[in-house]
Amino acid sequence: MSPEFKLLGTGAGPGVPAFYCDCIACREARKKPQRARTRSGAFIDTGKEGILIDASPDLRSQLMKEQIDSLDYLFITHWHYDHFGGIGDLEFYIKLKRKHPVKLFLPSSAVGDFQAAYPFMMDVFELESWDYERSYNFSNVKLTVLPANHGIQTGGLLLEADQRIAYFTDTSGLPELTEQRIKGVDTLICDATFHGENWYPNNHMSIEEAIQLGEKVRASHTILTHLAMHYSAPTTVQQIEEELHFYPKVSIAFDGLTLQL
């Protein structure tokens, strides 16, 4: 089989619907569950290895939904709760089924945080800090960690096989070096947290800014992810899709979306 890249979750920190929210986005997601969003994460199936990208607080339900029952590597892009909060869900998979450690790649700045938060899991992971510009070669897939703009040490991923996919869920634009490295990618999957005003312009992007980034790096296809939907102007999937009618190279992500690498 050719390698696959699957989006496990496509939402920002609150998820959609949020338990406390009754905005139009949450009402839409309750009425049409296929439009609900769990917190962001992804999975690469090389055919021989399973590579989990981030471990959201929704990890257990994501893995069950997508019928993923094994993995070999875990990359954490940055140490924010909506990207690492599900790490504990892997404890008993590793202890009871796999029975040998999973390789866990972390930002160097997060190694101490991991050790403090999960001391009971030190025996189930083999820790290694990732470095910007370093490439990791798996079966039929090359993965390179590139700098993102997110306030803390944060990596995005360039995946290369038959297709080139750039995955940047949390970033405010991209450093020039990163822009050059991903120029002309087949698919850019990127942060589009805000609909309307961007409340955190140094950490995230709005839908409009994500579209502009895709055009700037000349991506053949741009997929909007890490969608809050609630803020700053709550919106529905239907409304976003109507807005994207004028951008044929842009589409909206959904949980479970699978791309061939």
Side-chain angles (χ1 to χ4, degrees), residues 63-127:
L63 296 177
M64 292 179 64
K65 177 187 173 188
E66 302 303 334
Q67 300 181 41
I68 296 169
D69 60 7
S70 66
L71 60 98
D72 304 287
Y73 303 92
L74 169 59
F75 276 81
I76 298 295
T77 60
H78 64 291
W79 199 252
H80 279 164
Y81 178 74
D82 57 324
H83 291 261
F84 74 78
I87 286 177
D89 288 353
L90 298 176
E91 178 184 8
F92 293 104
Y93 156 67
I94 299 171
K95 288 182 175 178
L96 300 181
K97 181 180 179 182
R98 180 179 169 87
K99 297 182 179 179
H100 60 280
V102 162
K103 191 72 169 286
L104 170 57
F105 296 92
L106 290 164
S108 58
S109 59
V111 172
D113 293 324
F114 170 81
Q115 293 170 333
Y118 298 100
F120 57 93
M121 296 188 72
M122 293 302 296
D123 61 336
V124 301
F125 286 114
E126 179 185 345
L127 300 187

Side-chain angles (χ1 to χ4, degrees), residues 26-241:
C26 291
R27 291 198 299 269
E28 179 192 47
R30 291 186 182 103
K31 184 176 180 180
K32 297 180 178 180
Q34 69 272 22
R35 295 184 177 182
R37 298 182 186 280
T38 56
R39 273 68 69 88
S40 290
F43 188 78
I44 305 167
D45 184 352
T46 71
K48 294 183 179 180
E49 301 125 329
I51 306 162
L52 181 63
I53 310 301
D54 288 331
S56 93
D58 303 305
L59 183 61
R60 177 179 176 274
S61 62
Q62 291 171 340
L63 296 177
M64 292 179 64
K65 177 187 173 188
E66 302 303 334
Q67 300 181 41
I68 296 169
D69 60 7
S70 66
L71 60 98
D72 304 287
Y73 303 92
L74 169 59
F75 276 81
I76 298 295
T77 60
H78 64 291
W79 199 252
H80 279 164
Y81 178 74
D82 57 324
H83 291 261
F84 74 78
I87 286 177
D89 288 353
L90 298 176
E91 178 184 8
F92 293 104
Y93 156 67
I94 299 171
K95 288 182 175 178
L96 300 181
K97 181 180 179 182
R98 180 179 169 87
K99 297 182 179 179
H100 60 280
V102 162
K103 191 72 169 286
L104 170 57
F105 296 92
L106 290 164
S108 58
S109 59
V111 172
D113 293 324
F114 170 81
Q115 293 170 333
Y118 298 100
F120 57 93
M121 296 188 72
M122 293 302 296
D123 61 336
V124 301
F125 286 114
E126 179 185 345
L127 300 187
E128 181 175 329
S129 57
W130 52 249
D131 298 309
Y132 292 130
E133 288 292 310
R134 181 174 177 182
S135 295
Y136 302 85
N137 291 298
F138 302 100
S139 300
N140 307 313
V141 177
K142 179 181 178 182
L143 182 158
T144 304
V145 182
L146 296 173
N149 294 327
H150 192 50
I152 65 170
Q153 185 182 9
T154 301
L157 305 179
L158 175 62
L159 308 174
E160 297 175 279
D162 291 337
Q163 300 283 309
R164 295 174 70 234
I165 295 176
Y167 182 65
F168 287 82
T169 62
D170 290 63
T171 194
S172 172
L174 291 173
E176 183 176 353
L177 170 66
T178 301
E179 286 186 4
Q180 293 303 316
R181 288 296 309 274
I182 70 167
K183 191 79 75 175
V185 290
D186 296 286
T187 305
L188 169 64
I189 306 170
C190 72
D191 183 328
T193 302
F194 289 90
H195 178 257
E197 179 188 0
N198 185 347
W199 293 346
Y200 298 103
N202 295 322
N203 294 280
H204 290 291
M205 289 191 290
S206 67
I207 289 174
E208 181 180 358
E209 290 166 337
I211 293 171
Q212 292 171 353
L213 178 62
E215 294 173 344
K216 186 177 184 181
V217 301
R218 300 199 298 272
S220 297
H221 182 199
T222 298
I223 299 177
L224 309 177
T225 195
H226 203 269
L227 294 142
M229 308 296 289
H230 315 272
Y231 44 74
S232 53
T235 186
T236 64
V237 169
Q238 181 178 341
Q239 289 173 336
I240 294 176
E241 289 179 334

